Amino acid sequence: MTEIPSDHPRHDSLVTRHRIEAGVEKGITSRQGLIAQGRGEAFDYLLGERTLESADEAARAAAAHLLLARHPVVSVNGNVAALCPEELVELAEATGADLEVNLFNRTEERVAAIADHLREHGASEVKGLTADARIPGLSHERAKVDADGIYDADAVVVPLEDGDRAEALGAMGKTEIVIDLNPLSRSAQVAAVPIVDNVVRAVPNVARHARDLRETPREELEAIVAAFDADAALTHAERAIREGAIADERS
Ligand code: ATP
């Protein structure tokens, strides 16, 4: 991999791009994942490659949801696995969540490669290989999940999910926490908690909030969840993208 000088103005973005490229070479990320990355980069550029105040609030509400959940699961696809494997493992540890590989373009080889990659980065157990249950309302391959994983979960973190599956999971009554840089994407629109931020910032941020909230009584966690306004968070992010200069200021 080409060494990127740390003082390069586009350092973080280029490192991210290289991780996705390496993910494709390793059989973790699909070629379509390259296109998704490009789309995400454009939104991140407009956001100033920073975490908005509204995204930080969403990350805190997400952490509260995960700590309250009976069975939280973090869904992992090829882009997220390539971008932040260690951070996913830390998020699972901080919230007591399972990690489950769940792919739009599912192949058994890619599921196994991603599970290995996560184990290389510290995961002890990775779900998604059994695929013995189906999400109702989706075509065969896209519906496959583990019966004791996403199928059973009451709260699911779905980074970079497509709109259909996000909707189908929501219809099963699960609390959905979506991480997506596009506030207009259908998955962000249907989420209980949309985090409009780059996964490389959002995943560790949710983990940090979860560690901070670990000793917090249930009633307080429930109050954090109740106070979160998904529509307001989406509106704030969309304005930040469209108007750029409004930065983090709320009006
Ligand atoms: P839509 O919901 O608008 O139909 P889509 O599911 O077709 O979107 P894709 O083109 O597959 O969208 O792109 C995947 C989504 O993931 C995009 O919305 C993009 O902004 C987002 N994305 C890509 N990379 C990242 C990243 N690193 N962090 C957060 N979100 C990202």
Side-chain angles (χ1 to χ4, degrees):
M1 195 188 286
T2 326
E3 200 58 49
I4 301 158
S6 57
D7 61 349
H8 191 291
R10 313 259 342 118
H11 175 270
D12 292 356
S13 159
L14 292 175
V15 167
T16 307
R17 202 177 279 185
H18 278 296
R19 283 194 200 149
I20 291 285
E21 237 184 304
V24 174
E25 277 160 21
K26 214 176 160 187
I28 290 171
T29 311
S30 71
R31 281 184 297 163
Q32 286 183 10
L34 292 167
I35 298 166
Q37 169 67 19
R39 198 166 175 197
E41 268 185 24
F43 285 111
D44 208 14
Y45 192 95
L46 294 171
L47 280 171
E49 293 170 1
R50 75 216 147 93
T51 299
L52 296 177
E53 186 192 312
S54 54
D56 186 54
E57 279 169 19
R60 188 159 178 266
H65 266 295
L66 294 171
L67 292 171
L68 284 167
R70 171 185 59 79
H71 183 187
V73 175
V74 179
S75 175
V76 180
N77 71 9
N79 281 53
V80 191
L83 289 176
C84 50
E86 263 162 41
E87 291 82 355
L88 288 167
V89 174
E90 277 168 27
L91 174 60
E93 275 168 14
T95 57
D98 284 331
L99 290 171
E100 177 163 340
V101 182
N102 193 241
L103 304 178
F104 183 81
N105 299 304
R106 185 186 172 95
T107 66
E108 298 314 313
E109 296 73 32
R110 215 148 70 74
V111 174
I114 293 171
D116 287 347
H117 185 68
L118 291 172
R119 286 195 205 97
E120 280 163 24
H121 287 86
S124 45
E125 201 200 339
V126 181
K127 294 190 189 293
L129 296 118
T130 323
D132 50 352
R134 301 287 176 268
I135 304 169
L138 290 178
S139 62
H140 191 64
E141 285 304 309
R142 297 170 62 214
K144 287 183 173 176
V145 287
D146 278 15
D148 63 352
I150 288 176
Y151 191 83
D152 175 64
D154 55 345
V156 195
V157 182
V158 278
L160 282 62
E161 185 56 271
D162 78 295
D164 277 359
R165 283 208 308 196
E167 234 163 3
L169 286 170
M172 288 177 82
K174 301 182 193 303
T175 299
E176 268 188 291
I177 296 155
V178 165
I179 304 171
D180 195 314
L181 278 158
N182 179 7
L184 299 173
S185 83
R186 270 187 309 142
S187 42
Q189 300 273 339
V190 299
V193 181
I195 306 175
V196 182
D197 202 2
N198 198 315
V199 287
V200 299
R201 297 189 298 268
V203 170
N205 201 22
V206 178
R208 180 179 62 82
H209 280 297
R211 283 191 291 267
D212 287 350
L213 293 171
R214 199 176 286 175
E215 305 300 328
T216 307
R218 284 189 79 82
E219 306 77 61
E220 277 179 48
L221 294 176
E222 279 158 8
I224 293 170
V225 161
F228 178 72
D229 183 338
D231 289 338
L234 290 172
T235 304
H236 182 251
E238 188 182 339
R239 283 192 58 199
I241 288 168
R242 287 190 192 277
E243 296 172 25
I246 73 158
D248 262 353
E249 288 152 32
R250 307 270 195 139
S251 52

Tab-separated table of all heavy atoms in Angstrom, residues 71-116:
chain	number	residue	atom	x	y	z
A	71	HIS	N	-31.135	-8.111	23.173
A	71	HIS	CA	-30.174	-8.779	22.302
A	71	HIS	C	-29.757	-7.832	21.171
A	71	HIS	O	-30.366	-7.824	20.097
A	71	HIS	CB	-30.788	-10.063	21.728
A	71	HIS	CG	-29.828	-10.836	20.879
A	71	HIS	ND1	-30.207	-11.936	20.147
A	71	HIS	CD2	-28.500	-10.679	20.638
A	71	HIS	CE1	-29.151	-12.408	19.493
A	71	HIS	NE2	-28.107	-11.659	19.779
A	72	PRO	N	-28.726	-7.023	21.417
A	72	PRO	CA	-28.244	-6.145	20.348
A	72	PRO	C	-27.305	-6.870	19.387
A	72	PRO	O	-26.542	-7.734	19.807
A	72	PRO	CB	-27.488	-5.043	21.109
A	72	PRO	CG	-27.075	-5.666	22.405
A	72	PRO	CD	-28.009	-6.819	22.696
A	73	VAL	N	-27.399	-6.527	18.102
A	73	VAL	CA	-26.511	-7.126	17.094
A	73	VAL	C	-25.963	-6.003	16.190
A	73	VAL	O	-26.699	-5.091	15.813
A	73	VAL	CB	-27.250	-8.167	16.221
A	73	VAL	CG1	-26.345	-8.694	15.105
A	73	VAL	CG2	-27.739	-9.339	17.071
A	74	VAL	N	-24.678	-6.099	15.866
A	74	VAL	CA	-24.068	-5.176	14.910
A	74	VAL	C	-23.909	-5.931	13.599
A	74	VAL	O	-23.205	-6.942	13.530
A	74	VAL	CB	-22.691	-4.673	15.408
A	74	VAL	CG1	-22.065	-3.741	14.373
A	74	VAL	CG2	-22.808	-3.980	16.762
A	75	SER	N	-24.601	-5.464	12.563
A	75	SER	CA	-24.531	-6.092	11.247
A	75	SER	C	-23.283	-5.576	10.530
A	75	SER	O	-23.005	-4.379	10.531
A	75	SER	CB	-25.806	-5.708	10.484
A	75	SER	OG	-25.765	-6.182	9.178
A	76	VAL	N	-22.530	-6.492	9.915
A	76	VAL	CA	-21.248	-6.101	9.305
A	76	VAL	C	-21.258	-6.455	7.816
A	76	VAL	O	-21.495	-7.606	7.454
A	76	VAL	CB	-20.074	-6.845	9.991
A	76	VAL	CG1	-18.746	-6.438	9.361
A	76	VAL	CG2	-20.057	-6.567	11.495
A	77	ASN	N	-20.988	-5.460	6.970
A	77	ASN	CA	-20.838	-5.759	5.538
A	77	ASN	C	-19.381	-5.560	5.118
A	77	ASN	O	-18.512	-5.262	5.951
A	77	ASN	CB	-21.818	-4.923	4.701
A	77	ASN	CG	-21.442	-3.447	4.665
A	77	ASN	OD1	-20.380	-3.041	5.109
A	77	ASN	ND2	-22.329	-2.641	4.122
A	78	GLY	N	-19.105	-5.729	3.841
A	78	GLY	CA	-17.725	-5.715	3.362
A	78	GLY	C	-17.030	-4.376	3.471
A	78	GLY	O	-15.810	-4.313	3.653
A	79	ASN	N	-17.786	-3.291	3.350
A	79	ASN	CA	-17.160	-1.970	3.481
A	79	ASN	C	-16.769	-1.692	4.928
A	79	ASN	O	-15.659	-1.254	5.212
A	79	ASN	CB	-18.132	-0.873	3.017
A	79	ASN	CG	-18.169	-0.760	1.515
A	79	ASN	OD1	-18.381	-1.758	0.839
A	79	ASN	ND2	-17.950	0.427	0.979
A	80	VAL	N	-17.716	-1.959	5.827
A	80	VAL	CA	-17.450	-1.648	7.243
A	80	VAL	C	-16.321	-2.519	7.772
A	80	VAL	O	-15.459	-2.051	8.525
A	80	VAL	CB	-18.733	-1.869	8.078
A	80	VAL	CG1	-18.550	-1.307	9.464
A	80	VAL	CG2	-19.915	-1.237	7.420
A	81	ALA	N	-16.326	-3.795	7.368
A	81	ALA	CA	-15.272	-4.704	7.840
A	81	ALA	C	-13.902	-4.216	7.385
A	81	ALA	O	-12.929	-4.288	8.132
A	81	ALA	CB	-15.529	-6.113	7.309
A	82	ALA	N	-13.822	-3.710	6.149
A	82	ALA	CA	-12.532	-3.227	5.647
A	82	ALA	C	-12.130	-1.924	6.320
A	82	ALA	O	-10.954	-1.687	6.560
A	82	ALA	CB	-12.611	-3.023	4.131
A	83	LEU	N	-13.116	-1.090	6.657
A	83	LEU	CA	-12.794	0.248	7.164
A	83	LEU	C	-12.456	0.278	8.648
A	83	LEU	O	-11.563	1.011	9.055
A	83	LEU	CB	-13.970	1.205	6.907
A	83	LEU	CG	-14.198	1.607	5.464
A	83	LEU	CD1	-15.444	2.478	5.344
A	83	LEU	CD2	-12.993	2.361	4.921
A	84	CYS	N	-13.178	-0.491	9.466
A	84	CYS	CA	-12.966	-0.322	10.914
A	84	CYS	C	-13.209	-1.624	11.696
A	84	CYS	O	-14.058	-1.647	12.582
A	84	CYS	CB	-13.836	0.807	11.448
A	84	CYS	SG	-15.580	0.732	11.001
A	85	PRO	N	-12.460	-2.701	11.377
A	85	PRO	CA	-12.707	-3.980	12.046
A	85	PRO	C	-12.491	-3.957	13.560
A	85	PRO	O	-13.315	-4.482	14.313
A	85	PRO	CB	-11.720	-4.930	11.360
A	85	PRO	CG	-10.670	-4.056	10.774
A	85	PRO	CD	-11.359	-2.775	10.412
A	86	GLU	N	-11.392	-3.327	13.996
A	86	GLU	CA	-11.124	-3.287	15.442
A	86	GLU	C	-12.201	-2.509	16.182
A	86	GLU	O	-12.633	-2.890	17.269
A	86	GLU	CB	-9.788	-2.587	15.687
A	86	GLU	CG	-8.653	-3.570	15.849
A	86	GLU	CD	-7.324	-2.874	15.653
A	86	GLU	OE1	-7.177	-1.738	16.146
A	86	GLU	OE2	-6.477	-3.460	14.967
A	87	GLU	N	-12.613	-1.416	15.567
A	87	GLU	CA	-13.624	-0.562	16.197
A	87	GLU	C	-14.963	-1.287	16.303
A	87	GLU	O	-15.717	-1.070	17.247
A	87	GLU	CB	-13.790	0.738	15.385
A	87	GLU	CG	-12.593	1.672	15.439
A	87	GLU	CD	-11.465	1.325	14.470
A	87	GLU	OE1	-11.549	0.275	13.783
A	87	GLU	OE2	-10.511	2.106	14.391
A	88	LEU	N	-15.264	-2.165	15.343
A	88	LEU	CA	-16.503	-2.957	15.415
A	88	LEU	C	-16.442	-3.915	16.593
A	88	LEU	O	-17.416	-4.096	17.325
A	88	LEU	CB	-16.701	-3.759	14.119
A	88	LEU	CG	-17.085	-2.961	12.876
A	88	LEU	CD1	-16.921	-3.822	11.628
A	88	LEU	CD2	-18.513	-2.438	12.978
A	89	VAL	N	-15.273	-4.531	16.772
A	89	VAL	CA	-15.093	-5.467	17.893
A	89	VAL	C	-15.245	-4.704	19.211
A	89	VAL	O	-15.919	-5.175	20.142
A	89	VAL	CB	-13.710	-6.167	17.802
A	89	VAL	CG1	-13.445	-7.026	19.025
A	89	VAL	CG2	-13.620	-7.003	16.516
A	90	GLU	N	-14.659	-3.501	19.266
A	90	GLU	CA	-14.773	-2.691	20.498
A	90	GLU	C	-16.225	-2.279	20.757
A	90	GLU	O	-16.669	-2.261	21.896
A	90	GLU	CB	-13.905	-1.437	20.390
A	90	GLU	CG	-12.468	-1.742	20.747
A	90	GLU	CD	-11.531	-0.604	20.377
A	90	GLU	OE1	-11.982	0.561	20.332
A	90	GLU	OE2	-10.350	-0.904	20.112
A	91	LEU	N	-16.947	-1.957	19.694
A	91	LEU	CA	-18.360	-1.579	19.865
A	91	LEU	C	-19.157	-2.766	20.413
A	91	LEU	O	-19.976	-2.608	21.325
A	91	LEU	CB	-18.956	-1.120	18.522
A	91	LEU	CG	-20.458	-0.836	18.520
A	91	LEU	CD1	-20.819	0.273	19.502
A	91	LEU	CD2	-20.941	-0.463	17.117
A	92	ALA	N	-18.899	-3.941	19.870
A	92	ALA	CA	-19.604	-5.139	20.338
A	92	ALA	C	-19.291	-5.387	21.821
A	92	ALA	O	-20.189	-5.684	22.616
A	92	ALA	CB	-19.206	-6.351	19.488
A	93	GLU	N	-18.033	-5.213	22.181
A	93	GLU	CA	-17.652	-5.431	23.589
A	93	GLU	C	-18.298	-4.401	24.508
A	93	GLU	O	-18.782	-4.735	25.580
A	93	GLU	CB	-16.130	-5.355	23.720
A	93	GLU	CG	-15.469	-6.694	23.412
A	93	GLU	CD	-13.961	-6.595	23.257
A	93	GLU	OE1	-13.392	-5.541	23.639
A	93	GLU	OE2	-13.381	-7.553	22.729
A	94	ALA	N	-18.307	-3.148	24.071
A	94	ALA	CA	-18.829	-2.066	24.930
A	94	ALA	C	-20.338	-2.169	25.141
A	94	ALA	O	-20.866	-1.659	26.125
A	94	ALA	CB	-18.479	-0.715	24.317
A	95	THR	N	-21.040	-2.832	24.227
A	95	THR	CA	-22.507	-2.858	24.302
A	95	THR	C	-23.053	-4.268	24.558
A	95	THR	O	-24.263	-4.441	24.690
A	95	THR	CB	-23.121	-2.346	22.978
A	95	THR	OG1	-22.621	-3.156	21.895
A	95	THR	CG2	-22.772	-0.905	22.721
A	96	GLY	N	-22.181	-5.252	24.580
A	96	GLY	CA	-22.637	-6.636	24.741
A	96	GLY	C	-23.338	-7.153	23.489
A	96	GLY	O	-24.166	-8.073	23.571
A	97	ALA	N	-23.028	-6.570	22.340
A	97	ALA	CA	-23.698	-6.963	21.089
A	97	ALA	C	-22.965	-8.117	20.401
A	97	ALA	O	-21.766	-8.306	20.598
A	97	ALA	CB	-23.764	-5.770	20.140
A	98	ASP	N	-23.714	-8.859	19.597
A	98	ASP	CA	-23.107	-9.841	18.688
A	98	ASP	C	-22.676	-9.124	17.422
A	98	ASP	O	-23.285	-8.119	17.029
A	98	ASP	CB	-24.153	-10.889	18.262
A	98	ASP	CG	-24.430	-11.896	19.362
A	98	ASP	OD1	-23.528	-12.164	20.179
A	98	ASP	OD2	-25.569	-12.411	19.393
A	99	LEU	N	-21.660	-9.689	16.747
A	99	LEU	CA	-21.286	-9.227	15.406
A	99	LEU	C	-21.835	-10.244	14.421
A	99	LEU	O	-21.623	-11.452	14.595
A	99	LEU	CB	-19.764	-9.174	15.269
A	99	LEU	CG	-19.017	-8.083	16.051
A	99	LEU	CD1	-17.514	-8.323	15.965
A	99	LEU	CD2	-19.359	-6.688	15.534
A	100	GLU	N	-22.549	-9.797	13.406
A	100	GLU	CA	-23.064	-10.725	12.390
A	100	GLU	C	-22.753	-10.208	10.990
A	100	GLU	O	-23.092	-9.071	10.650
A	100	GLU	CB	-24.577	-10.923	12.542
A	100	GLU	CG	-25.154	-11.815	11.447
A	100	GLU	CD	-26.542	-12.363	11.766
A	100	GLU	OE1	-26.935	-12.385	12.952
A	100	GLU	OE2	-27.236	-12.775	10.816
A	101	VAL	N	-22.124	-11.050	10.193
A	101	VAL	CA	-21.845	-10.686	8.802
A	101	VAL	C	-23.152	-10.792	8.024
A	101	VAL	O	-23.848	-11.813	8.086
A	101	VAL	CB	-20.794	-11.623	8.174
A	101	VAL	CG1	-20.479	-11.188	6.744
A	101	VAL	CG2	-19.518	-11.632	9.008
A	102	ASN	N	-23.494	-9.725	7.319
A	102	ASN	CA	-24.754	-9.701	6.584
A	102	ASN	C	-24.511	-8.920	5.295
A	102	ASN	O	-24.187	-7.747	5.337
A	102	ASN	CB	-25.817	-9.031	7.464
A	102	ASN	CG	-27.205	-9.232	6.934
A	102	ASN	OD1	-27.889	-8.287	6.603
A	102	ASN	ND2	-27.625	-10.465	6.810
A	103	LEU	N	-24.625	-9.606	4.162
A	103	LEU	CA	-24.202	-8.998	2.902
A	103	LEU	C	-25.328	-8.825	1.913
A	103	LEU	O	-26.201	-9.685	1.800
A	103	LEU	CB	-23.123	-9.873	2.245
A	103	LEU	CG	-21.889	-10.176	3.098
A	103	LEU	CD1	-20.943	-11.087	2.333
A	103	LEU	CD2	-21.188	-8.900	3.510
A	104	PHE	N	-25.261	-7.734	1.185
A	104	PHE	CA	-26.216	-7.494	0.110
A	104	PHE	C	-25.926	-8.490	-1.021
A	104	PHE	O	-26.824	-9.177	-1.507
A	104	PHE	CB	-26.072	-6.049	-0.381
A	104	PHE	CG	-27.053	-5.683	-1.447
A	104	PHE	CD1	-28.344	-5.320	-1.118
A	104	PHE	CD2	-26.691	-5.700	-2.783
A	104	PHE	CE1	-29.261	-4.987	-2.095
A	104	PHE	CE2	-27.605	-5.369	-3.767
A	104	PHE	CZ	-28.888	-5.015	-3.422
A	105	ASN	N	-24.660	-8.568	-1.420
A	105	ASN	CA	-24.264	-9.558	-2.436
A	105	ASN	C	-23.603	-10.729	-1.720
A	105	ASN	O	-22.385	-10.807	-1.639
A	105	ASN	CB	-23.256	-8.942	-3.419
A	105	ASN	CG	-23.853	-7.751	-4.146
A	105	ASN	OD1	-24.886	-7.866	-4.784
A	105	ASN	ND2	-23.223	-6.601	-4.023
A	106	ARG	N	-24.419	-11.622	-1.194
A	106	ARG	CA	-23.878	-12.679	-0.340
A	106	ARG	C	-23.200	-13.789	-1.144
A	106	ARG	O	-23.786	-14.340	-2.077
A	106	ARG	CB	-25.025	-13.290	0.483
A	106	ARG	CG	-24.549	-14.314	1.492
A	106	ARG	CD	-25.701	-15.003	2.193
A	106	ARG	NE	-25.161	-16.086	2.988
A	106	ARG	CZ	-24.861	-15.999	4.272
A	106	ARG	NH1	-25.086	-14.886	4.922
A	106	ARG	NH2	-24.347	-17.022	4.915
A	107	THR	N	-21.946	-14.076	-0.795
A	107	THR	CA	-21.346	-15.329	-1.242
A	107	THR	C	-20.733	-15.948	0.010
A	107	THR	O	-20.305	-15.226	0.912
A	107	THR	CB	-20.221	-15.135	-2.294
A	107	THR	OG1	-19.121	-14.454	-1.675
A	107	THR	CG2	-20.687	-14.351	-3.509
A	108	GLU	N	-20.709	-17.275	0.057
A	108	GLU	CA	-20.195	-17.948	1.253
A	108	GLU	C	-18.729	-17.591	1.474
A	108	GLU	O	-18.280	-17.432	2.600
A	108	GLU	CB	-20.381	-19.464	1.154
A	108	GLU	CG	-21.851	-19.903	1.066
A	108	GLU	CD	-22.763	-19.209	2.093
A	108	GLU	OE1	-22.401	-19.147	3.276
A	108	GLU	OE2	-23.847	-18.715	1.691
A	109	GLU	N	-17.977	-17.430	0.356
A	109	GLU	CA	-16.541	-17.099	0.468
A	109	GLU	C	-16.359	-15.746	1.140
A	109	GLU	O	-15.504	-15.582	2.003
A	109	GLU	CB	-15.867	-17.032	-0.921
A	109	GLU	CG	-15.820	-18.330	-1.698
A	109	GLU	CD	-17.188	-18.716	-2.252
A	109	GLU	OE1	-17.988	-17.816	-2.576
A	109	GLU	OE2	-17.481	-19.932	-2.325
A	110	ARG	N	-17.167	-14.808	0.725
A	110	ARG	CA	-17.006	-13.457	1.265
A	110	ARG	C	-17.434	-13.406	2.738
A	110	ARG	O	-16.798	-12.744	3.548
A	110	ARG	CB	-17.787	-12.444	0.425
A	110	ARG	CG	-17.085	-11.109	0.340
A	110	ARG	CD	-17.350	-10.429	-0.992
A	110	ARG	NE	-18.722	-9.968	-1.116
A	110	ARG	CZ	-19.202	-8.910	-0.478
A	110	ARG	NH1	-18.457	-8.202	0.331
A	110	ARG	NH2	-20.447	-8.548	-0.652
A	111	VAL	N	-18.508	-14.129	3.076
A	111	VAL	CA	-18.933	-14.181	4.482
A	111	VAL	C	-17.788	-14.747	5.334
A	111	VAL	O	-17.432	-14.184	6.371
A	111	VAL	CB	-20.205	-15.045	4.659
A	111	VAL	CG1	-20.549	-15.205	6.138
A	111	VAL	CG2	-21.386	-14.429	3.917
A	112	ALA	N	-17.186	-15.838	4.846
A	112	ALA	CA	-16.099	-16.482	5.607
A	112	ALA	C	-14.883	-15.557	5.697
A	112	ALA	O	-14.249	-15.450	6.749
A	112	ALA	CB	-15.709	-17.803	4.940
A	113	ALA	N	-14.564	-14.853	4.594
A	113	ALA	CA	-13.400	-13.948	4.597
A	113	ALA	C	-13.607	-12.804	5.594
A	113	ALA	O	-12.684	-12.419	6.309
A	113	ALA	CB	-13.162	-13.393	3.194
A	114	ILE	N	-14.832	-12.297	5.650
A	114	ILE	CA	-15.106	-11.191	6.583
A	114	ILE	C	-15.051	-11.693	8.028
A	114	ILE	O	-14.483	-11.036	8.906
A	114	ILE	CB	-16.473	-10.533	6.259
A	114	ILE	CG1	-16.394	-9.828	4.902
A	114	ILE	CG2	-16.867	-9.549	7.350
A	114	ILE	CD1	-17.719	-9.328	4.376
A	115	ALA	N	-15.611	-12.880	8.264
A	115	ALA	CA	-15.571	-13.449	9.626
A	115	ALA	C	-14.112	-13.651	10.056
A	115	ALA	O	-13.737	-13.310	11.183
A	115	ALA	CB	-16.349	-14.758	9.666
A	116	ASP	N	-13.276	-14.172	9.160
A	116	ASP	CA	-11.842	-14.355	9.482
A	116	ASP	C	-11.183	-13.013	9.782
A	116	ASP	O	-10.412	-12.891	10.733
A	116	ASP	CB	-11.092	-15.000	8.295
A	116	ASP	CG	-11.436	-16.470	8.158
A	116	ASP	OD1	-12.040	-17.031	9.092
A	116	ASP	OD2	-11.112	-17.054	7.086
